[in-house]
Amino acid sequence: MLRKEIIENMEHIVNNCMGDSKAGCTTGCPMNTDPKEYIRLLRENKGTEAIKFIRENLFIPKILGRVCAHPCEKGCRRGEEDNSIAIASLKRYIADNYDDSNLWDLSKKPTTGKKIAVIGSGPAGAQGALTLAKEGHEVTIFEKSSLPGGMMRFGIPEYRLPREIIDEEYSYLTKLGIKFVFNTEIGKDISMEELEKNYDGILVTLGKQLGRKDNSLENIHGKGIFTAVEFLREVSATKNFQEGGENILVVGGGDVAMDCGRSALRLPKTKNSFVIFLEKDIESLTASKHEVLGAIEEGVKFIPSSGIKRINLNSKGKVASIETKKCLRIFDENHNFSPLFNEEISEIIPVDTLIFSIGQMVDYNIFSGEKFQFDRNTLQSLKNEKIFFAGDCATSAIVVGAMAEGRRAGKSLDRYLKKEDIWAGRKIEEEGGYRTTKLHLPTEYLPEGWDAQEKISRRKGKELNPEERVKTFLEVESTFTELEAMEEASRCLQCQCKLCMKECMMMPEYTSCPKELFQEYLEKGYENMDMNIAYSCNECSQCTIKCPNSFQIRENFMEMRKEYVKANGGLSPLEGHTALDDGQELECSKKYSISVPGKKQSKYILIPGCTVPASFPELVEKTYNHMKETLGEENVGIILQCCGKPTKIIGETELFEERYSRVQKEIEAMEADIIVTLCPSCYLTYEEHSGKKVISYWDLMKEEIGIPNLQKNIGKDSDVIFNVHDSCPTRNVTSHHDSIRWIIKELGYKMEEMNNIRENTRCCGVGGMLGCINGELFEKIVNRRAQDATQEQIISYCGSCRASMELGGLDSLHILQLIHGKCYMKSDRELRSPNYGMKNRLKTKAILKTYLNK
């Protein structure tokens, strides 16, 4: 059974891993669209694929590219650093340039024979109708106006949303077989009772088509006073407002108020357009910043921090002017709307038309004025099970939110018709409820080059000259050019964690992210999982280094290995480890081991490990002699014996303890103070278990004895520039990194840093004894590490690393070959790995044996 700490560690990873978390732009979108995916496709010049991807979720991409409130941009990670990605503008560019009605998906499920009535053709009704039609139901949309689109057509000015765009995108619904019945108002032309009788289900998606006025004001019913709904509807239909005058004042500070103020300037008779609001300044307005800026550019005059004190009428009962009052606050200490005014501070403003943009309401006449009651999740009526609600008349406030509700209501209605549980297995956050995301990458984890100067500024489509555009209702902002689109798309950070997955070459073979993998371990139990997963970890800890949360992943796999070994009688259950165990036993045996004490107490013991003696017997001897020459022959001993670390790595804890005890006995017998190592794994093993001070030969040279005298600047005439591969076991032992580079400099060789070095170094492939059980993965890791090199010649200070880098195609040397060799030239390149073997171990032993009698 795994230790409690390991189980808790897995649970911690599952609960906090960001690997499966959606980006903030996706979780911010009520329709759950993934902007970074279509931006990625655009960056790869795959515009057709990008529009297909968008249309999987959004059937009106051109409309949304122009008028969406883009909540996705509020979740954009880049927005925390400079400016969010212009997601809506990129969607518009893709749709305007790559959409093709011939490629629209018109597939539907077989007809069900069920008839659905949808009341209202705004975004909620249209999306609900689409969802239901796709399920095979016969859908009819009833619209009281003569054209489709609802408040998008009659509430959004044409300079923002050209009407031909609405017509084009709504044609998808008719192509899908959805019927429209125009100029028909439910409750007036057709009763709800009649619909209930003739249809199997009803989806109500009424927009907020009733405007509000401030009825507390005296003279509020005078001539020339209108609601924003009345004003924008007539302007949308006629590009004029017959009852408007020369000086129009709009009350309100939201987007609709900006629409009214800007539309007023485009009317034939208008000379001045004012907007009065309670907020202290334009920065405090709830209106979108780009709408406010557009209004300012066009000449709308703002009256901040003010309310209307009095409406003054002329002799004909028409608005002549307003008197203002100073707003001191909008909300009380409990954050309730409770404006406080100073009526002594006032101003008279001549106006002849007053437009109130202070909120809109739903017309409840279809149910005799009774407010709609429905389940907040399913959107099903609480009074009539065949009726559902979506859009403004339910809970949504923006176009894309209304679409999400329309889709959700459509799914609920479909289940109702199929007599299924309406909400089983569904989650509100996945069907239009705004979600949050765990995904948040600290600045240091953002993609390289993200903050390049050319990526700081957010691109904006070109706009018509303000002086000219107020003369027409032509669209103000242009679609991005190709250059603008590509520049803006390049700013996207492509937010995704999975940084460990990008680095680790093992986990992607078994999972999509650590959360998924360890969730499976927790549910199934490690004993029921593929053992190769745990044994394929090469113990490099790069996953932890790359993880923003620094999850300890390696430790889980190492613990599992121990448990697999326990269940198999103390030995690894994998056949690939049999030869490793046999080799370990030999390397720890007396046949291949020898101890040579110093002539007095062995203050220093050189323990060269396994791989170096098995590769370079003569270099072991030269290292031994160098230490004796500089530290005193009487003070230096040497032990040729394996520490057993590979046994420990594969989880054979008891066997490791037995094998390690053999070398520990030799250490104790010499009564040494300091162990000197040539192998990074040996360094860590002795540091943990020996109870002695441990130092690498490299640090010993730098700190105490220097390089061999005759080797100073030996490489100054070499034609080689070396890379240094740092060993991953000692990635956190910075002294080793520094000492190796110091040695190369002392030797006079030129050096260039390769990619991924020091504490960020990558495994050479040997780590975790991977090569014994997963040769294919081992080779991939070797080749990737070799590709980090910037030179053909590479230096390692681990015998196994040296062999791996040679396998990866590099001219790979051990640092000892430079320390004790002649000047190395490119022409000296040769294969050295074939010389590795137990025969060399015996040769090393034979050499050291000669020192016993000296």
Side-chain angles (χ1 to χ4, degrees), residues 443-496:
T443 305
E444 61 268 27
Y445 284 91
L446 297 181
E448 185 176 351
W450 72 269
D451 56 349
Q453 189 60 41
E454 65 272 14
K455 293 188 177 183
I456 299 300
S457 299
R458 173 182 167 120
R459 274 53 173 185
K460 192 177 189 301
K462 291 181 174 61
E463 294 184 340
L464 297 176
N465 183 290
E467 293 181 3
E468 295 300 317
R469 71 194 193 209
V470 295
K471 298 176 183 179
T472 73
F473 279 86
L474 292 176
E475 190 170 14
V476 169
E477 186 175 333
S478 300
T479 302
F480 278 154
T481 63
E482 181 180 4
L483 177 61
E484 290 167 340
M486 287 305 191
E487 288 179 340
E488 185 61 21
S490 74
R491 299 179 64 240
C492 177
L493 301 173
Q494 288 293 296
C495 294
Q496 185 184 39

Short mmCIF file of all heavy atoms in Angstrom, two decimals, residues 443-496:
data_model
loop_
_atom_site.label_atom_id
_atom_site.label_comp_id
_atom_site.label_asym_id
_atom_site.label_seq_id
_atom_site.Cartn_x
_atom_site.Cartn_y
_atom_site.Cartn_z
N THR A 443 4.16 35.11 -14.92
CA THR A 443 4.84 35.77 -16.04
C THR A 443 6.04 34.97 -16.54
O THR A 443 6.26 34.87 -17.75
CB THR A 443 5.30 37.18 -15.62
OG1 THR A 443 4.17 37.90 -15.12
CG2 THR A 443 5.88 37.94 -16.80
N GLU A 444 6.80 34.38 -15.61
CA GLU A 444 8.00 33.66 -16.03
C GLU A 444 7.69 32.39 -16.81
O GLU A 444 8.58 31.80 -17.43
CB GLU A 444 8.88 33.32 -14.82
CG GLU A 444 8.23 32.43 -13.78
CD GLU A 444 7.53 33.21 -12.68
OE1 GLU A 444 7.11 34.35 -12.94
OE2 GLU A 444 7.42 32.68 -11.56
N TYR A 445 6.43 31.96 -16.80
CA TYR A 445 6.05 30.76 -17.54
C TYR A 445 5.38 31.09 -18.88
O TYR A 445 4.97 30.19 -19.60
CB TYR A 445 5.10 29.90 -16.70
CG TYR A 445 5.79 29.14 -15.61
CD1 TYR A 445 5.94 29.69 -14.34
CD2 TYR A 445 6.32 27.88 -15.83
CE1 TYR A 445 6.59 29.00 -13.32
CE2 TYR A 445 6.96 27.18 -14.83
CZ TYR A 445 7.09 27.75 -13.57
OH TYR A 445 7.74 27.06 -12.58
N LEU A 446 5.26 32.36 -19.20
CA LEU A 446 4.67 32.73 -20.49
C LEU A 446 5.63 32.39 -21.62
O LEU A 446 6.85 32.30 -21.40
CB LEU A 446 4.32 34.22 -20.50
CG LEU A 446 3.26 34.65 -19.48
CD1 LEU A 446 2.99 36.15 -19.59
CD2 LEU A 446 1.98 33.86 -19.65
N PRO A 447 5.13 32.21 -22.85
CA PRO A 447 6.00 31.80 -23.96
C PRO A 447 7.15 32.77 -24.18
O PRO A 447 7.00 33.98 -24.00
CB PRO A 447 5.05 31.79 -25.17
CG PRO A 447 3.69 31.64 -24.58
CD PRO A 447 3.73 32.34 -23.25
N GLU A 448 8.27 32.23 -24.58
CA GLU A 448 9.44 33.07 -24.84
C GLU A 448 9.11 34.11 -25.91
O GLU A 448 8.49 33.82 -26.92
CB GLU A 448 10.61 32.19 -25.31
CG GLU A 448 11.91 32.95 -25.49
CD GLU A 448 13.07 32.03 -25.87
OE1 GLU A 448 12.89 30.80 -25.82
OE2 GLU A 448 14.14 32.56 -26.20
N GLY A 449 9.50 35.34 -25.66
CA GLY A 449 9.28 36.42 -26.61
C GLY A 449 7.90 37.05 -26.55
O GLY A 449 7.55 37.90 -27.36
N TRP A 450 7.11 36.65 -25.52
CA TRP A 450 5.74 37.16 -25.43
C TRP A 450 5.72 38.68 -25.26
O TRP A 450 4.78 39.34 -25.68
CB TRP A 450 5.01 36.51 -24.26
CG TRP A 450 5.50 36.98 -22.91
CD1 TRP A 450 6.48 36.43 -22.17
CD2 TRP A 450 5.02 38.10 -22.17
NE1 TRP A 450 6.67 37.13 -21.00
CE2 TRP A 450 5.77 38.16 -20.97
CE3 TRP A 450 4.03 39.05 -22.40
CZ2 TRP A 450 5.57 39.16 -20.02
CZ3 TRP A 450 3.82 40.04 -21.44
CH2 TRP A 450 4.59 40.09 -20.27
N ASP A 451 6.76 39.23 -24.64
CA ASP A 451 6.78 40.66 -24.34
C ASP A 451 7.59 41.48 -25.34
O ASP A 451 7.98 42.61 -25.05
CB ASP A 451 7.30 40.89 -22.93
CG ASP A 451 8.68 40.28 -22.71
OD1 ASP A 451 9.14 39.49 -23.57
OD2 ASP A 451 9.30 40.57 -21.67
N ALA A 452 7.82 40.89 -26.52
CA ALA A 452 8.53 41.65 -27.55
C ALA A 452 7.76 42.93 -27.87
O ALA A 452 6.53 42.95 -27.82
CB ALA A 452 8.68 40.80 -28.82
N GLN A 453 8.47 43.99 -28.16
CA GLN A 453 7.84 45.29 -28.32
C GLN A 453 6.73 45.28 -29.36
O GLN A 453 5.68 45.91 -29.17
CB GLN A 453 8.91 46.32 -28.73
CG GLN A 453 8.42 47.77 -28.73
CD GLN A 453 7.92 48.22 -27.36
OE1 GLN A 453 8.52 47.91 -26.34
NE2 GLN A 453 6.80 48.92 -27.34
N GLU A 454 6.92 44.53 -30.43
CA GLU A 454 5.91 44.52 -31.49
C GLU A 454 4.63 43.78 -31.08
O GLU A 454 3.62 43.85 -31.79
CB GLU A 454 6.47 43.90 -32.77
CG GLU A 454 6.83 42.43 -32.67
CD GLU A 454 8.24 42.17 -32.18
OE1 GLU A 454 8.87 43.13 -31.64
OE2 GLU A 454 8.72 41.04 -32.32
N LYS A 455 4.68 43.11 -29.93
CA LYS A 455 3.49 42.37 -29.49
C LYS A 455 2.74 43.09 -28.35
O LYS A 455 1.75 42.58 -27.85
CB LYS A 455 3.89 40.97 -29.02
CG LYS A 455 4.40 40.09 -30.17
CD LYS A 455 4.60 38.67 -29.72
CE LYS A 455 5.05 37.81 -30.90
NZ LYS A 455 5.20 36.39 -30.53
N ILE A 456 3.21 44.24 -27.96
CA ILE A 456 2.60 44.94 -26.84
C ILE A 456 1.28 45.60 -27.25
O ILE A 456 0.26 45.49 -26.57
CB ILE A 456 3.55 46.00 -26.27
CG1 ILE A 456 4.83 45.34 -25.75
CG2 ILE A 456 2.87 46.80 -25.17
CD1 ILE A 456 4.62 44.34 -24.65
N SER A 457 1.30 46.30 -28.38
CA SER A 457 0.12 47.09 -28.78
C SER A 457 -0.97 46.21 -29.38
O SER A 457 -0.71 45.37 -30.24
CB SER A 457 0.54 48.15 -29.79
OG SER A 457 1.47 49.04 -29.22
N ARG A 458 -2.18 46.43 -28.93
CA ARG A 458 -3.35 45.75 -29.47
C ARG A 458 -3.73 46.41 -30.80
O ARG A 458 -3.85 47.63 -30.90
CB ARG A 458 -4.49 45.85 -28.46
CG ARG A 458 -5.84 45.33 -28.94
CD ARG A 458 -6.86 45.54 -27.84
NE ARG A 458 -8.23 45.37 -28.30
CZ ARG A 458 -9.07 44.48 -27.82
NH1 ARG A 458 -8.68 43.67 -26.86
NH2 ARG A 458 -10.31 44.40 -28.26
N ARG A 459 -3.95 45.60 -31.83
CA ARG A 459 -4.32 46.12 -33.14
C ARG A 459 -5.80 46.49 -33.17
O ARG A 459 -6.61 45.90 -32.46
CB ARG A 459 -4.03 45.11 -34.23
CG ARG A 459 -2.60 45.14 -34.79
CD ARG A 459 -1.56 45.02 -33.72
NE ARG A 459 -0.21 44.88 -34.25
CZ ARG A 459 0.85 44.66 -33.50
NH1 ARG A 459 0.73 44.58 -32.18
NH2 ARG A 459 2.04 44.54 -34.03
N LYS A 460 -6.12 47.45 -34.01
CA LYS A 460 -7.51 47.91 -34.15
C LYS A 460 -7.78 48.15 -35.63
O LYS A 460 -6.92 48.67 -36.35
CB LYS A 460 -7.71 49.21 -33.36
CG LYS A 460 -9.15 49.64 -33.20
CD LYS A 460 -9.24 50.89 -32.33
CE LYS A 460 -10.68 51.22 -31.97
NZ LYS A 460 -11.53 51.46 -33.13
N GLY A 461 -8.96 47.74 -36.08
CA GLY A 461 -9.30 47.97 -37.47
C GLY A 461 -9.40 49.46 -37.78
O GLY A 461 -9.73 50.27 -36.91
N LYS A 462 -9.11 49.81 -39.00
CA LYS A 462 -9.18 51.23 -39.39
C LYS A 462 -10.62 51.72 -39.30
O LYS A 462 -11.57 50.96 -39.52
CB LYS A 462 -8.64 51.41 -40.81
CG LYS A 462 -7.14 51.18 -40.92
CD LYS A 462 -6.66 51.40 -42.35
CE LYS A 462 -5.14 51.31 -42.43
NZ LYS A 462 -4.63 50.00 -42.00
N GLU A 463 -10.78 53.00 -38.98
CA GLU A 463 -12.12 53.57 -38.84
C GLU A 463 -12.31 54.73 -39.80
O GLU A 463 -11.34 55.41 -40.18
CB GLU A 463 -12.32 54.07 -37.40
CG GLU A 463 -12.34 52.95 -36.37
CD GLU A 463 -12.65 53.47 -34.97
OE1 GLU A 463 -12.47 54.68 -34.74
OE2 GLU A 463 -13.08 52.67 -34.12
N LEU A 464 -13.56 54.97 -40.17
CA LEU A 464 -13.87 56.12 -41.01
C LEU A 464 -13.56 57.39 -40.23
O LEU A 464 -13.66 57.44 -39.01
CB LEU A 464 -15.35 56.10 -41.40
CG LEU A 464 -15.84 54.92 -42.25
CD1 LEU A 464 -17.35 55.03 -42.46
CD2 LEU A 464 -15.11 54.90 -43.59
N ASN A 465 -13.22 58.43 -40.95
CA ASN A 465 -12.96 59.73 -40.33
C ASN A 465 -14.20 60.19 -39.57
O ASN A 465 -15.31 60.18 -40.10
CB ASN A 465 -12.61 60.75 -41.42
CG ASN A 465 -12.27 62.10 -40.83
OD1 ASN A 465 -13.14 62.78 -40.31
ND2 ASN A 465 -11.01 62.48 -40.95
N PRO A 466 -14.06 60.58 -38.28
CA PRO A 466 -15.22 60.97 -37.48
C PRO A 466 -16.09 62.05 -38.12
O PRO A 466 -17.32 61.99 -38.04
CB PRO A 466 -14.59 61.47 -36.18
CG PRO A 466 -13.30 60.75 -36.09
CD PRO A 466 -12.81 60.62 -37.50
N GLU A 467 -15.46 63.01 -38.77
CA GLU A 467 -16.24 64.08 -39.39
C GLU A 467 -17.08 63.58 -40.54
O GLU A 467 -18.16 64.12 -40.83
CB GLU A 467 -15.30 65.20 -39.88
CG GLU A 467 -14.59 65.93 -38.75
CD GLU A 467 -13.68 67.03 -39.26
OE1 GLU A 467 -13.68 67.26 -40.50
OE2 GLU A 467 -13.00 67.67 -38.45
N GLU A 468 -16.62 62.54 -41.20
CA GLU A 468 -17.35 61.99 -42.33
C GLU A 468 -18.36 60.94 -41.90
O GLU A 468 -19.46 60.85 -42.43
CB GLU A 468 -16.36 61.38 -43.35
CG GLU A 468 -15.44 62.39 -44.00
CD GLU A 468 -16.22 63.46 -44.76
OE1 GLU A 468 -17.19 63.11 -45.47
OE2 GLU A 468 -15.86 64.65 -44.63
N ARG A 469 -17.98 60.12 -40.91
CA ARG A 469 -18.85 59.00 -40.56
C ARG A 469 -20.15 59.44 -39.91
O ARG A 469 -21.15 58.72 -39.96
CB ARG A 469 -18.10 58.01 -39.68
CG ARG A 469 -17.78 58.44 -38.27
CD ARG A 469 -16.76 57.50 -37.66
NE ARG A 469 -16.61 57.66 -36.22
CZ ARG A 469 -15.49 57.42 -35.56
NH1 ARG A 469 -14.40 57.03 -36.24
NH2 ARG A 469 -15.42 57.56 -34.26
N VAL A 470 -20.17 60.61 -39.24
CA VAL A 470 -21.42 61.06 -38.62
C VAL A 470 -22.45 61.51 -39.65
O VAL A 470 -23.60 61.78 -39.30
CB VAL A 470 -21.16 62.20 -37.60
CG1 VAL A 470 -20.33 61.70 -36.44
CG2 VAL A 470 -20.51 63.39 -38.27
N LYS A 471 -22.04 61.54 -40.90
CA LYS A 471 -22.96 61.95 -41.96
C LYS A 471 -23.74 60.77 -42.53
O LYS A 471 -24.68 60.95 -43.31
CB LYS A 471 -22.19 62.64 -43.09
CG LYS A 471 -21.47 63.91 -42.67
CD LYS A 471 -20.65 64.47 -43.83
CE LYS A 471 -19.87 65.71 -43.40
NZ LYS A 471 -19.03 66.26 -44.50
N THR A 472 -23.32 59.57 -42.16
CA THR A 472 -23.97 58.36 -42.70
C THR A 472 -24.09 57.31 -41.61
O THR A 472 -23.59 57.48 -40.49
CB THR A 472 -23.14 57.75 -43.85
OG1 THR A 472 -21.98 57.11 -43.30
CG2 THR A 472 -22.70 58.81 -44.85
N PHE A 473 -24.75 56.20 -41.95
CA PHE A 473 -24.81 55.05 -41.05
C PHE A 473 -23.92 53.92 -41.56
O PHE A 473 -24.11 52.76 -41.20
CB PHE A 473 -26.25 54.56 -40.90
CG PHE A 473 -27.05 55.38 -39.91
CD1 PHE A 473 -27.70 56.54 -40.31
CD2 PHE A 473 -27.13 55.00 -38.59
CE1 PHE A 473 -28.42 57.30 -39.41
CE2 PHE A 473 -27.85 55.75 -37.66
CZ PHE A 473 -28.50 56.91 -38.07
N LEU A 474 -22.93 54.26 -42.39
CA LEU A 474 -21.99 53.25 -42.86
C LEU A 474 -21.19 52.69 -41.69
O LEU A 474 -20.95 53.38 -40.69
CB LEU A 474 -21.03 53.86 -43.89
CG LEU A 474 -21.65 54.28 -45.23
CD1 LEU A 474 -20.59 54.96 -46.10
CD2 LEU A 474 -22.23 53.07 -45.95
N GLU A 475 -20.76 51.45 -41.83
CA GLU A 475 -20.01 50.80 -40.76
C GLU A 475 -18.74 51.59 -40.46
O GLU A 475 -17.96 51.91 -41.36
CB GLU A 475 -19.66 49.36 -41.15
CG GLU A 475 -19.11 48.53 -40.02
CD GLU A 475 -19.01 47.05 -40.35
OE1 GLU A 475 -19.10 46.70 -41.55
OE2 GLU A 475 -18.84 46.25 -39.42
N VAL A 476 -18.55 51.88 -39.17
CA VAL A 476 -17.43 52.74 -38.76
C VAL A 476 -16.10 52.02 -38.83
O VAL A 476 -15.13 52.55 -39.37
CB VAL A 476 -17.67 53.26 -37.32
CG1 VAL A 476 -16.40 53.91 -36.77
CG2 VAL A 476 -18.82 54.25 -37.30
N GLU A 477 -16.04 50.81 -38.28
CA GLU A 477 -14.76 50.11 -38.17
C GLU A 477 -14.62 49.06 -39.26
O GLU A 477 -15.55 48.32 -39.56
CB GLU A 477 -14.64 49.43 -36.80
CG GLU A 477 -13.28 48.81 -36.56
CD GLU A 477 -13.13 48.25 -35.16
OE1 GLU A 477 -13.81 48.75 -34.24
OE2 GLU A 477 -12.32 47.31 -34.96
N SER A 478 -13.45 49.00 -39.85
CA SER A 478 -13.17 48.04 -40.92
C SER A 478 -12.67 46.73 -40.34
O SER A 478 -12.11 46.68 -39.24
CB SER A 478 -12.10 48.59 -41.87
OG SER A 478 -12.54 49.79 -42.47
N THR A 479 -12.85 45.67 -41.10
CA THR A 479 -12.26 44.38 -40.75
C THR A 479 -10.75 44.49 -40.84
O THR A 479 -10.21 45.25 -41.66
CB THR A 479 -12.77 43.30 -41.72
OG1 THR A 479 -14.19 43.25 -41.65
CG2 THR A 479 -12.20 41.93 -41.36
N PHE A 480 -10.04 43.76 -40.02
CA PHE A 480 -8.58 43.73 -40.08
C PHE A 480 -8.10 43.43 -41.50
O PHE A 480 -8.73 42.66 -42.24
CB PHE A 480 -8.03 42.61 -39.19
CG PHE A 480 -7.91 42.97 -37.72
CD1 PHE A 480 -7.96 41.97 -36.77
CD2 PHE A 480 -7.73 44.27 -37.29
CE1 PHE A 480 -7.85 42.25 -35.41
CE2 PHE A 480 -7.61 44.57 -35.95
CZ PHE A 480 -7.67 43.56 -35.01
N THR A 481 -6.98 44.01 -41.85
CA THR A 481 -6.26 43.54 -43.03
C THR A 481 -5.56 42.24 -42.64
O THR A 481 -5.49 41.89 -41.45
CB THR A 481 -5.20 44.56 -43.48
OG1 THR A 481 -4.23 44.71 -42.42
CG2 THR A 481 -5.83 45.92 -43.77
N GLU A 482 -5.03 41.55 -43.62
CA GLU A 482 -4.32 40.30 -43.32
C GLU A 482 -3.15 40.57 -42.39
O GLU A 482 -2.91 39.82 -41.43
CB GLU A 482 -3.82 39.64 -44.60
CG GLU A 482 -3.09 38.33 -44.35
CD GLU A 482 -2.60 37.67 -45.63
OE1 GLU A 482 -2.76 38.27 -46.71
OE2 GLU A 482 -2.05 36.55 -45.53
N LEU A 483 -2.40 41.64 -42.64
CA LEU A 483 -1.25 41.97 -41.80
C LEU A 483 -1.69 42.26 -40.37
O LEU A 483 -1.10 41.76 -39.42
CB LEU A 483 -0.51 43.18 -42.37
CG LEU A 483 0.69 43.68 -41.55
CD1 LEU A 483 1.74 42.59 -41.42
CD2 LEU A 483 1.28 44.94 -42.17
N GLU A 484 -2.74 43.08 -40.23
CA GLU A 484 -3.24 43.40 -38.89
C GLU A 484 -3.70 42.16 -38.14
O GLU A 484 -3.44 41.99 -36.95
CB GLU A 484 -4.38 44.42 -38.98
CG GLU A 484 -3.94 45.81 -39.42
CD GLU A 484 -5.11 46.70 -39.80
OE1 GLU A 484 -6.21 46.17 -40.11
OE2 GLU A 484 -4.93 47.94 -39.83
N ALA A 485 -4.40 41.28 -38.87
CA ALA A 485 -4.91 40.06 -38.25
C ALA A 485 -3.77 39.16 -37.77
O ALA A 485 -3.78 38.62 -36.67
CB ALA A 485 -5.80 39.30 -39.22
N MET A 486 -2.76 39.01 -38.62
CA MET A 486 -1.64 38.14 -38.25
C MET A 486 -0.83 38.74 -37.11
O MET A 486 -0.36 38.01 -36.22
CB MET A 486 -0.74 37.90 -39.48
CG MET A 486 -1.36 36.96 -40.49
SD MET A 486 -1.84 35.37 -39.71
CE MET A 486 -2.20 34.40 -41.15
N GLU A 487 -0.67 40.04 -37.11
CA GLU A 487 0.06 40.68 -36.01
C GLU A 487 -0.71 40.52 -34.69
O GLU A 487 -0.11 40.24 -33.66
CB GLU A 487 0.26 42.17 -36.31
CG GLU A 487 1.29 42.44 -37.40
CD GLU A 487 1.45 43.91 -37.69
OE1 GLU A 487 0.53 44.71 -37.36
OE2 GLU A 487 2.49 44.29 -38.27
N GLU A 488 -2.02 40.70 -34.75
CA GLU A 488 -2.82 40.56 -33.54
C GLU A 488 -2.84 39.10 -33.08
O GLU A 488 -2.72 38.81 -31.89
CB GLU A 488 -4.24 41.07 -33.75
CG GLU A 488 -5.11 41.07 -32.52
CD GLU A 488 -4.58 41.94 -31.41
OE1 GLU A 488 -3.76 42.86 -31.67
OE2 GLU A 488 -4.97 41.72 -30.24
N ALA A 489 -2.98 38.18 -34.02
CA ALA A 489 -2.99 36.75 -33.68
C ALA A 489 -1.68 36.33 -33.03
O ALA A 489 -1.65 35.47 -32.15
CB ALA A 489 -3.27 35.91 -34.92
N SER A 490 -0.58 36.96 -33.45
CA SER A 490 0.73 36.60 -32.89
C SER A 490 0.85 37.00 -31.43
O SER A 490 1.73 36.51 -30.72
CB SER A 490 1.85 37.27 -33.70
OG SER A 490 1.93 38.66 -33.42
N ARG A 491 -0.03 37.88 -30.96
CA ARG A 491 0.00 38.31 -29.56
C ARG A 491 -0.59 37.27 -28.62
O ARG A 491 -0.35 37.30 -27.43
CB ARG A 491 -0.76 39.64 -29.39
CG ARG A 491 -0.20 40.80 -30.19
CD ARG A 491 -1.04 42.07 -29.98
NE ARG A 491 -0.98 42.51 -28.60
CZ ARG A 491 -2.02 42.63 -27.78
NH1 ARG A 491 -3.23 42.32 -28.21
NH2 ARG A 491 -1.87 43.05 -26.55
N CYS A 492 -1.39 36.36 -29.18
CA CYS A 492 -2.05 35.36 -28.34
C CYS A 492 -1.01 34.46 -27.67
O CYS A 492 -0.11 33.94 -28.33
CB CYS A 492 -3.01 34.52 -29.18
SG CYS A 492 -3.82 33.20 -28.26
N LEU A 493 -1.15 34.28 -26.37
CA LEU A 493 -0.20 33.47 -25.61
C LEU A 493 -0.48 31.99 -25.70
O LEU A 493 0.28 31.18 -25.17
CB LEU A 493 -0.23 33.90 -24.13
CG LEU A 493 0.10 35.37 -23.87
CD1 LEU A 493 -0.12 35.70 -22.40
CD2 LEU A 493 1.52 35.69 -24.27
N GLN A 494 -1.58 31.62 -26.38
CA GLN A 494 -1.97 30.21 -26.51
C GLN A 494 -1.95 29.53 -25.14
O GLN A 494 -1.33 28.49 -24.92
CB GLN A 494 -1.05 29.49 -27.48
CG GLN A 494 -1.26 29.86 -28.94
CD GLN A 494 -2.63 29.40 -29.47
OE1 GLN A 494 -2.91 28.22 -29.53
NE2 GLN A 494 -3.47 30.36 -29.83
N CYS A 495 -2.65 30.16 -24.21
CA CYS A 495 -2.62 29.74 -22.80
C CYS A 495 -2.98 28.27 -22.63
O CYS A 495 -4.05 27.83 -23.02
CB CYS A 495 -3.57 30.59 -21.98
SG CYS A 495 -3.08 32.32 -21.89
N GLN A 496 -2.08 27.56 -22.07
CA GLN A 496 -2.27 26.16 -21.72
C GLN A 496 -1.15 25.81 -20.76
O GLN A 496 -0.03 26.30 -20.91
CB GLN A 496 -2.20 25.26 -22.96
CG GLN A 496 -2.51 23.81 -22.67
CD GLN A 496 -2.34 22.93 -23.91
OE1 GLN A 496 -1.42 23.13 -24.70
NE2 GLN A 496 -3.21 21.97 -24.09
#
